[in-house]
């Protein structure tokens, strides 16, 4: 008799909190309720036309069959050129794997280098999928807290204090989801050097590298030196930079042995990514970057407005994020307040209160392993941001 239908490893992971909240918000929308969602982490801009046109051309020319598992050579060359041009890293084409979004690249890295007994050290708050993906490999996620007073940037001191000999890999996510924190080059060098001395791989998730403000600079770990390059696996994606979330194009680059292992896994799990999306991504990487600059300008305006407005609302307090498109305000001043007989005790209750009383969706900090905060997305029009925050202010006043 089967007493457990699903495996222990699948039973051990939780659903993605961002997807659950977005699902709930969409359900309310379908009931005719006017929900403003600051939940889903994706650009509201359309994919630029020249990228769409490349995809249309690919379909018309019949480019609709299986491709090489790691991606067509032309795309891997475009990615290698991008790394040289934008990050100053020389990767050969056989060190590059095209994946189904950055998400698949991350899972394949963990699956390729981690196993039971290993730990992956993660600064929190962190992206919702790291811990669950790591658990699926049998390895253990290990966390340490970054501090608001350090703008949520991890420090060497925090890394070295939380280190133990089981740590096989460390995650750098700069700019960070959900805080927007960008690690400065000096600290990044020190952290990388400590990790390399201890034989730890650095998985560097750079999907927000272009969404960066106030003249801050993105530094890619593998560009720091030859040793760093040998120990880094760089993960990136077309999703956020080119407003291409639905196309599902990501990539990983790193040591040949690791990339080959990931490629073998991908060959059996999913095969190549969508052939048409590969052609579109060549146009994205090799074509004009003007649209990216315009989006960043627009995000800057929205960020400035959102942070200023949030700080005018009693009970919310937040800093200017360095990058990405999220603000992460502290909500503890709302604890102890009541509405309709419900007492607000934590960030989950705050998110529920915003949804029920202001019809605004946000993600509670606990989803990022960091309670007492909530995440707002500012990849929304200024009108929506204005309206949503006005509603929250009114709901709190009431
Ligand atoms: C930090 C971070 N890494 C990776 C991803 C994965 O994005 P995608 O699979 O669309 O490339 C996301 C998406 O939200 C993210 O926020």
């Amino acid at each position: 008799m089967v007493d457990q239908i699903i495996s222990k490893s699948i039973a051990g992971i939780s659903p993605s909190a961002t997807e659950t909240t977005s699902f709930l918000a969409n359900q309310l929308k379908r009931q005719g309720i006017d929900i403003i969602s600051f939940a889903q982490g994706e650009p509201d801009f359309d994919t630029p036309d020249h990228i769409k046109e490349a995809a249309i051309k690919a379909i018309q020319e019949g480019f609709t069959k299986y491709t090489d598992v790691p991606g067509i050579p032309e795309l891997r060359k475009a990615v290698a050129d991008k790394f040289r041009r934008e990050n100053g890293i020389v990767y050969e084409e056989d060190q590059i794997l095209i994946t189904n979004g950055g998400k698949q690249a991350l899972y394949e890295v963990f699956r390729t280098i981690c196993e039971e007994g290993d730990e992956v050290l993660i600064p929190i708050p962190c992206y919702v999928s790291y811990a669950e993906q790591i658990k699926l490999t049998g390895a253990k996620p290990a966390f340490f807290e970054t501090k608001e007073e350090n703008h949520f940037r991890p420090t060497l001191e925090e890394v070295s204090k939380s280190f133990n000999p089981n740590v096989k890999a460390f995650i750098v996510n700069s700019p960070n989801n959900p805080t927007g924190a960008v690690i400065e080059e000096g600290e990044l060098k020190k952290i990388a050097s400590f990790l390399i001395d201890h034989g730890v791989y650095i998985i560097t998730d750079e999907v927000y590298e272009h969404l960066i403000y106030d003249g801050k600079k993105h530094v890619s770990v593998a560009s720091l030196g030859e040793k760093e390059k040998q120990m880094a696996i760089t993960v990136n994606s077309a999703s956020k930079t080119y407003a291409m979330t639905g196309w599902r194009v990501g990539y990983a680059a790193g040591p040949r042995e690791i990339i080959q292992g990931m490629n073998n896994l991908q060959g059996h799990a999913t095969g190549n990514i969508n052939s048409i999306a590969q052609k579109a991504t060549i146009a994205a990487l090799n074509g004009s970057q003007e649209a990216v600059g315009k989006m960043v300008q627009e995000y800057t305006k929205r960020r400035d407005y959102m942070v200023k407005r949030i700080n005018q609302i009693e009970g919310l307090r937040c800093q200017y994020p360095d990058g990405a498109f999220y603000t992460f305000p502290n909500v503890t001043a709302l604890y102890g307040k009541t509405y309709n007989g419900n007492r607000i005790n934590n960030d989950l209750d705050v998110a529920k209160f915003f949804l029920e009383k202001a019809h605004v969706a946000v993600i509670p900090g606990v989803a990022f392993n960091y309670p007492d905060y909530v995440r707002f997305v500012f990849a929304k029009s200024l009108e929506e941001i204005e309206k949503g925050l006005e509603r929250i202010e009114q709901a709190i006043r009431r």
Side-chain angles (χ1 to χ4, degrees):
M1 203 185 100
V2 183
D3 50 359
Q4 185 174 352
I5 297 172
I6 60 170
S7 67
K8 285 197 196 93
S9 63
I10 291 296
I13 57 170
S14 12
S16 155
T18 42
E19 275 158 35
T20 314
T21 311
S22 301
F23 181 76
L24 207 70
N26 287 337
Q27 242 181 356
L28 291 172
K29 270 188 200 164
R30 278 194 292 275
Q31 289 168 21
I33 300 173
D34 170 29
I35 299 288
I36 295 182
S37 178
F38 297 125
Q40 191 72 27
E42 68 176 345
D44 60 327
F45 297 109
D46 198 2
T47 305
D49 282 343
H50 69 283
I51 301 176
K52 288 187 193 169
E53 279 152 20
I56 293 166
K57 186 161 173 268
I59 295 176
Q60 283 167 341
E61 288 177 353
F63 193 72
T64 54
K65 301 285 162 51
Y66 289 134
T67 74
D68 294 346
V69 171
I72 52 177
E74 215 184 336
L75 175 54
R76 283 195 288 160
K77 179 175 182 311
V79 171
D81 290 346
K82 175 255 180 256
F83 275 119
R84 274 195 201 108
R85 186 177 65 236
E86 295 182 354
N87 308 104
I89 313 168
V90 180
Y91 282 124
E92 300 305 326
E93 280 145 53
D94 62 352
Q95 293 183 279
I96 290 166
L97 176 68
I98 310 299
T99 58
N100 201 52
K103 216 173 222 188
Q104 186 183 24
L106 288 165
Y107 178 65
E108 289 176 352
V109 181
F110 297 135
R111 191 71 188 78
T112 300
I113 67 172
C114 302
E115 58 200 343
E116 214 177 319
D118 292 334
E119 293 184 20
V120 179
L121 190 57
I122 316 171
I124 50 173
C126 69
Y127 173 51
V128 292
S129 293
Y130 297 143
E132 306 311 300
Q133 290 192 348
I134 291 162
K135 283 196 254 165
L136 282 171
T137 72
K140 205 177 106 187
F143 304 106
F144 69 85
E145 277 181 24
T146 59
K147 301 281 180 309
E148 188 175 8
E149 63 261 31
N150 296 333
H151 299 270
F152 300 106
R153 296 171 198 141
T155 64
L156 172 63
E157 197 189 340
E158 290 162 350
V159 176
S160 61
K161 265 195 198 152
S162 12
F163 179 76
N164 76 66
N166 295 328
V167 173
K168 173 113 189 233
F170 177 81
I171 299 182
V172 170
N173 176 214
S174 175
N176 173 279
N177 173 7
T179 64
V182 169
I183 312 177
E184 274 158 13
E185 183 167 358
E187 200 66 22
L188 188 64
K189 266 189 188 154
K190 285 193 236 162
I191 294 173
S193 160
F194 172 87
L195 294 166
I196 291 163
D197 285 348
H198 290 84
V200 174
Y201 284 102
I202 305 170
I203 299 167
T204 168
D205 178 346
E206 306 185 358
V207 302
Y208 296 101
E209 71 170 325
H210 287 290
L211 312 187
I212 202 158
Y213 315 108
D214 302 331
K216 292 248 156 36
K217 200 171 137 239
H218 169 75
V219 180
S220 193
V221 177
S223 72
L224 292 172
E226 199 43 45
K227 277 194 197 155
E228 285 83 353
K229 191 180 152 200
Q230 281 168 19
M231 293 302 280
I233 302 103
T234 310
V235 171
N236 211 323
S237 160
S239 289
K240 319 284 176 174
T241 306
Y242 299 106
M244 287 179 70
T245 45
W247 299 73
R248 310 309 303 131
V249 185
Y251 47 92
R256 274 188 189 81
E257 202 179 344
I258 295 176
I259 295 296
Q260 188 56 49
M262 293 167 64
N263 182 30
N264 294 346
L265 165 62
Q266 181 164 310
H268 292 296
T270 58
N272 63 271
I273 76 150
N274 179 302
S275 58
I276 299 146
Q278 292 189 55
K279 288 283 192 182
T281 307
I282 295 170
L285 293 170
N286 291 350
S288 160
Q289 304 296 302
E290 200 186 326
V292 180
K294 281 196 181 143
M295 289 191 260
V296 175
Q297 260 178 11
E298 198 52 40
Y299 287 138
T300 312
K301 277 193 228 154
R302 297 163 177 197
R303 175 197 76 145
D304 292 350
Y305 177 80
M306 187 181 255
V307 173
K308 198 167 135 234
R309 188 71 184 89
I310 283 178
N311 284 321
Q312 288 167 352
I313 300 175
E314 206 191 319
L316 305 183
R317 185 194 79 219
C318 108
Q319 298 188 345
Y320 283 86
D322 303 326
F325 40 50
Y326 308 106
T327 59
F328 199 57
N330 182 294
V331 293
T332 49
L334 296 175
Y335 295 180
K337 296 196 187 299
T338 53
Y339 69 99
N340 296 355
N342 301 310
R343 188 173 191 276
I344 295 177
N345 293 316
N346 53 41
D347 51 296
L348 272 166
D349 293 344
V350 171
K352 195 161 163 266
F353 164 67
F354 287 175
L355 192 60
E356 287 178 5
K357 290 286 148 193
H359 294 159
V360 170
V362 298
I363 307 288
V366 71
F368 311 100
N369 286 286
Y370 211 87
D372 298 341
Y373 293 75
V374 299
R375 189 192 77 175
F376 284 76
V377 170
F378 57 81
K380 290 274 160 193
S381 70
L382 266 177
E383 294 72 44
E384 279 174 294
I385 297 173
E386 263 174 50
K387 197 166 145 193
L389 293 175
E390 178 64 26
R391 283 192 196 171
I392 287 177
E393 185 169 53
Q394 294 303 330
I396 292 175
R397 283 214 181 119
R398 278 198 299 273

